[in-house]
Amino acid sequence: MLQFEGVVATGSAALDSGIGDTALKTFNGTTYLYTVTGPGGGVAVWRLVEGALPQLVDTEYYSGTITFQVGRSGTPITLAGTEQLVLDVNMAVGLVGYDLNVDGTLDSLTETGSLTGGGDISAIVQVSIGLMDVLAMAHEETGQIGTYLVNQDGTLSLAGLVSGTGDAMQTLRAGTDHFLISSDAASNTVSTYRIDSISGQLTEIDNGSALGTLGISTPTAVETINAYGKPWVIVAGAGSNSLSVLQLNADGSLSATDHILDSLTTRFESVQDLEVVDINGRVFVVAGGGDDGLTLFTLTPEGQLVYLDSFADTLISGLQNVESLSLAHVGDELQVLATSQQGAGVTVITVPVDNLGIVDKGFGAVSGTAADDMLSGSILDTALMGGDGDDILIAGTGATTMSGGAGADIFVMQSGSSMTTITDFQPGVDRLDLFDYLLLRSPQQLTFTSTTQGARIEYRGEVVQVQSASGGTLTSADIFGAGFDGPDHIPVDFGNFGGLTPDSSDGVLGPITVDSQSANPGLSDAEIKFTPVGGGTVSVTADDQGQFDLDLPDGTFPGRLDIIKHYSTASKEIDAMDALQVLRISVGLDPTWGPPAAENLIAADINQDGTINALDALAILQVAVGQPTAHEPQWVFLDSNADLSGITKSNVDYQTGMDVVAIDGVITADMTSILLGNLEAA
């Protein structure tokens, strides 16, 4: 897909070598590329043309006091109707930039009035909030991020300053609020700020827990985009050789949806820059860095990166140590414009986007078009039919049947899906993507069985039936070649990490209301599972407030709700007295308070073998004194209307979970929560 077109240069070393930044600006439907070099250099302007290399339209060498004080960044902004390319000038007191003409060329160099934080700007971004126009700037000299209101005459008024650093900044709207996302490689930080819709001031939001689990090291770039009805943040980590995708929630919190690492088949090791673009409802991401090349992905509606292609540097492509990237949609092309730390000029690579089809998700029969479609399954059994294009078919949680049709198709599996069947796999043309399978790195980890019609693939309970498009058997080499293409995907939800115990926290004993639209006391860090009748299980982990979103489709779906929650030893709810009470029950005595209720008997059977005996008392005592036990305590959740009248000490028989009906994605249920091993409060 990535097609090398050529390298363009001005012929001046001062403008072609050491390009630190590239920026795009569109005037009257024509897009222009601005390339910026550092001290002793200048700016070059290129007009982008469909089907041809960029055309040079202007150059400007730095002069006067800024010649050796200017950095290597340039950002287009608008001040009271005047378009500018803002520069980073070390000794400036105001905002310094070139005015831009409507033909893309550079006009005079201007400077605004003095800025409180100074004119040494490491990053700048502009956002409109209602009638308010806001510039956010990272002031390098003072270590502050400031927001400034743009007045009608083009002057700037300080809204506020906060401590912070950033060499890349973007804004994004989530819900009714706007947010600033800043990354800084030197301080190894990614920060989130809410922008006040009235004053323009910043308030930092703590996203340390969401970002800390990803292991992002040396964040060199951050990009944001609203796509598929959701706000997304993508972060590049040079030290971790990683790309991370996070969804921005309405309260400013971040939820990781994907985290990938560079591999032998990708080209974003030591990633220096990334760019993202939405073309007719399809999101493309390109990344590059010290790996001498570029890698292209598309983003799914669930926030996962699907690998499309990589381009490795050649003797003529000039991609040794990629420094900066810009993406432009020009006619029927996606133009990738890259500069490098070693080569001179701008490398131009194109991706055809003239045949993009639909993005659709559903159940039952989901049909594509003759174009390049992206189709996803859902919670019920689904048949995905791609048609004639180069399609991406994504399994749902229910049983999924995939038919790619003609074209080079990508079949994407999902962890936890029911049986998935591919009806027409073409060896050497189609690709099977198993990136979502936990800790899968090589085809050698799979149980691969060739069949008369193709192959059966199994991994940790996942099953994929692959049928050959031409009939006959398929080998592992037919499907995977020499190995997997694409990056390594690292799990981002540790709620059910290969059977390991997830985070635990205090719960609530007794009646509890489960509501998918609000916080749920007692459900923090619990795993919420919903299995619709005739479909696959959808599972999410509630946050520390017990909030969760199963992301169910609209409609009415009866099914089964189950909750799994582990015990927090920090609560010290289970003690030696609980063991004593169980021992009394096991020998036929009542607990010290009198006859036990059915809930007491359920709590007493910690090993869940259906009877209460001395082994239960021993296990509870081991928990109480901090000794290892084969029967760890946990919370169980029952239908609040369940009939428990038949439970006795020798017949502890009950069913967890309850039948519910999800209506337009909303589930509300009344349940009873019981902590196994805790009798006194049960």
Side-chain angles (χ1 to χ4, degrees), residues 598-615:
E599 290 83 359
N600 299 128
L601 298 177
I602 292 173
D605 184 24
I606 192 173
N607 63 12
Q608 297 179 286
D609 65 356
T611 63
I612 301 171
N613 52 50
L615 293 177

Side-chain angles (χ1 to χ4, degrees), residues 210-211 214 216 231-235 244-248 254-257:
L211 294 164
L214 296 179
I216 301 171
W232 304 102
V233 178
I234 307 176
V235 181
S244 305
V245 183
L246 305 103
Q247 183 177 336
L248 180 65
L254 294 169
S255 302
T257 58

Side-chain angles (χ1 to χ4, degrees), residues 48 129 136 171 273 445 493 633:
L48 302 187
I129 305 175
T171 61
D273 202 8
Q445 297 172 254
D493 182 359

Side-chain angles (χ1 to χ4, degrees), residues 118-144:
D120 189 1
I121 307 298
S122 58
I124 184 171
V125 67
Q126 187 169 19
V127 61
S128 294
I129 305 175
L131 298 177
M132 182 171 59
D133 194 5
V134 179
L135 285 177
M137 310 179 199
H139 296 286
E140 210 162 4
E141 185 176 346
T142 61
Q144 294 176 307

Side-chain angles (χ1 to χ4, degrees), residues 327-389:
L327 296 184
H329 179 202
V330 184
D332 289 335
E333 298 176 339
L334 171 61
Q335 294 190 2
V336 184
L337 307 151
T339 68
S340 81
Q341 295 177 356
Q342 304 297 323
V346 179
T347 299
V348 182
I349 292 177
T350 60
V351 178
V353 292
D354 57 322
N355 198 41
L356 295 182
I358 63 173
V359 177
D360 197 9
K361 178 179 181 179
F363 52 87
V366 180
S367 298
T369 67
D372 304 337
D373 304 307
M374 181 187 291
L375 307 178
S376 303
S378 187
I379 59 175
L380 299 181
D381 294 354
T382 307
L384 303 177
M385 294 167 283
D388 290 339

Side-chain angles (χ1 to χ4, degrees), residues 189-513:
T189 56
V190 178
S191 303
T192 309
Y193 305 88
R194 177 183 284 104
I195 307 173
D196 188 273
S197 60
I198 297 176
S199 68
Q201 295 179 345
L202 300 178
T203 301
E204 187 168 8
I205 296 170
D206 184 6
N207 273 309
S209 59
L211 294 164
T213 57
L214 296 179
I216 301 171
S217 177
T218 319
T220 48
V222 60
E223 290 293 331
T224 59
I225 192 167
N226 271 292
Y228 314 122
K230 301 174 184 177
W232 304 102
V233 178
I234 307 176
V235 181
S240 47
N241 306 314
S242 65
L243 299 177
S244 305
V245 183
L246 305 103
Q247 183 177 336
L248 180 65
N249 303 311
D251 62 355
S253 61
L254 294 169
S255 302
T257 58
D258 203 4
H259 182 73
I260 63 173
L261 304 180
D262 179 63
S263 68
L264 290 176
T265 60
T266 56
R267 293 280 169 170
F268 61 94
E269 180 183 356
S270 302
V271 56
Q272 294 299 305
D273 202 8
L274 71 93
E275 287 290 323
V276 58
V277 64
D278 185 329
I279 301 178
N280 300 331
R282 182 73 60 83
V283 178
F284 294 95
V285 179
V286 178
D291 217 3
D292 300 347
L294 302 172
T295 300
L296 173 68
F297 304 92
T298 190
L299 183 71
T300 74
E302 304 305 318
Q304 295 171 314
L305 293 170
V306 174
Y307 171 73
L308 296 179
D309 196 15
S310 287
F311 180 87
D313 188 29
T314 67
L315 293 176
I316 60 172
S317 63
L319 289 177
Q320 187 176 4
N321 294 339
V322 172
E323 174 75 10
S324 69
L325 293 169
S326 286
L327 296 184
H329 179 202
V330 184
D332 289 335
E333 298 176 339
L334 171 61
Q335 294 190 2
V336 184
L337 307 151
T339 68
S340 81
Q341 295 177 356
Q342 304 297 323
V346 179
T347 299
V348 182
I349 292 177
T350 60
V351 178
V353 292
D354 57 322
N355 198 41
L356 295 182
I358 63 173
V359 177
D360 197 9
K361 178 179 181 179
F363 52 87
V366 180
S367 298
T369 67
D372 304 337
D373 304 307
M374 181 187 291
L375 307 178
S376 303
S378 187
I379 59 175
L380 299 181
D381 294 354
T382 307
L384 303 177
M385 294 167 283
D388 290 339
D390 297 339
D391 304 308
I392 299 174
L393 307 182
I394 306 171
T397 53
T400 308
T401 301
M402 302 178 173
S403 301
D409 304 311
I410 302 175
F411 301 98
V412 181
M413 301 302 106
Q414 292 288 296
S415 178
S417 295
S418 299
M419 170 74 78
T420 303
T421 302
I422 299 170
T423 66
D424 57 351
F425 188 86
Q426 306 172 81
V429 178
D430 295 336
R431 178 158 59 87
L432 179 58
D433 191 329
L434 306 178
F435 72 74
D436 201 45
Y437 288 176
L438 183 68
L439 302 180
L440 180 61
R441 297 291 178 268
S442 165
Q444 320 263 316
Q445 297 172 254
L446 302 169
T447 300
F448 190 100
T449 305
S450 295
T451 66
T452 56
Q453 293 182 309
R456 178 183 173 92
I457 301 171
E458 299 176 68
Y459 179 76
R460 297 174 62 91
E462 313 281 356
V463 180
V464 183
Q465 294 276 14
V466 184
Q467 299 172 6
S468 170
S470 58
T473 190
L474 292 170
T475 66
S476 179
D478 289 332
I479 296 177
F480 301 113
F484 295 150
D485 286 335
D488 289 334
H489 289 253
I490 306 302
V492 295
D493 182 359
F494 293 89
N496 187 25
F497 186 69
L500 299 179
T501 302
D503 291 340
S504 57
S505 56
D506 297 345
V508 175
L509 283 164
I512 183 172
T513 297

